[in-house]
Amino acid sequence: DAGVIQSPRHEVTEMGQEVTLRCKPISGHDYLFWYRQTMMRGLELLIYFNNNVPIDDSGMPEDRFSAKMPNASFSTLKIQPSEPRDSAVYFCASSLLGSYEQYFGPGTRLTVT
Amino acid sequence: AQSVAQPEDQVNVAEGNPLTVKCTYSVSGNPYLFWYVQYPNRGLQFLLKYITGDNLVKGSYGFEAEFNKSQTSFHLKKPSALVSDSALYFCAVREAPGNTPLVFGKGTRLSVIA
């Protein structure tokens, strides 16, 4: 299995621009999680889905952030407009119902200038 | 609310010596505890978990962790450190079974010196 796939691996954009991060979970996994990692705050959950339905989005920092999962094999995290404080590494993870482990993608390093 | 504390930002150990990375947790119910490792420019990799049963849990790459309910701790250990063990280590907890999200500690950077 290819594991969780994220794209792009690196994104540099200017403040005010729209940013879209993409994730392909492991085939057959029922749950998908988006996390953000920063030096100051560590690893934070943003949102998670079960069977493509958002279950908890209380970690999404503000209305500029949105996430979708149109099908079982694809999810996006969008930031519009982006701000310098959004600079972080964004991870996607997936898991299988009944399994305790989460499998992480390599992350997208976002830099907003 | 559940939480995890990793009291050390950095741990340095000589190659061949035993290592310990500390973790304490707080949950209202039974804890489900995890250790993950992150190598540079990589995602988190699962090392081991405690769900129930034996308090000493063995995981990948020779790592083990001991669950101590009275001290609410789940320290990661390895008898003999390797330089290749140098990485960022995260402890995580959830207090419900199944696939609820994990709550992570801030991470501990382990440096193994040759």
Side-chain angles (χ1 to χ4, degrees), chain B:
Chain B
Q2 50 200 327
S3 65
V4 172
Q6 293 181 243
E8 302 156 317
D9 291 336
Q10 173 96 28
V11 170
N12 298 319
V13 64
E15 188 176 30
N17 283 3
L19 70 87
T20 299
V21 183
K22 296 179 180 177
C23 171
T24 58
Y25 66 89
S26 175
V27 298
S28 56
N30 291 325
Y32 298 79
L33 295 156
F34 304 79
W35 277 100
Y36 282 79
V37 61
Q38 184 180 26
Y39 296 100
N41 300 314
R42 303 285 295 276
L44 278 70
Q45 297 178 32
F46 171 77
L47 272 181
L48 52 80
K49 66 179 183 288
Y50 171 82
I51 305 301
T52 187
D54 195 346
N55 289 344
L56 185 64
V57 178
K58 294 187 183 299
S60 306
Y61 312 121
F63 283 94
E64 58 189 26
E66 187 168 11
F67 170 64
N68 187 316
K69 188 172 183 178
S70 63
Q71 297 185 5
T72 62
S73 66
F74 189 57
H75 300 332
L76 181 70
K77 300 181 180 183
K78 188 173 182 181
S80 178
L82 300 172
V83 172
S84 57
D85 293 330
S86 299
L88 189 57
Y89 290 81
F90 290 93
C91 183
V93 68
R94 66 159 66 101
E95 61 183 359
N99 299 81
T100 53
L102 297 170
V103 173
F104 286 87
K106 287 280 183 80
T108 298
R109 186 164 301 280
L110 172 67
S111 290
V112 181
I113 304 161

Side-chain angles (χ1 to χ4, degrees), chain A residues 25-40:
Chain A
I26 293 173
S27 177
H29 280 195
D30 312 275
Y31 287 80
L32 184 139
F33 306 82
W34 281 101
Y35 292 90
R36 178 172 68 175
Q37 185 181 33
T38 62
M39 290 291 291
M40 291 297 295

Side-chain angles (χ1 to χ4, degrees), chain A residues 81-95:
Chain A
S82 58
E83 297 183 2
R85 61 192 166 123
D86 302 330
S87 297
V89 181
Y90 291 81
F91 288 104
C92 175
S94 69
S95 67

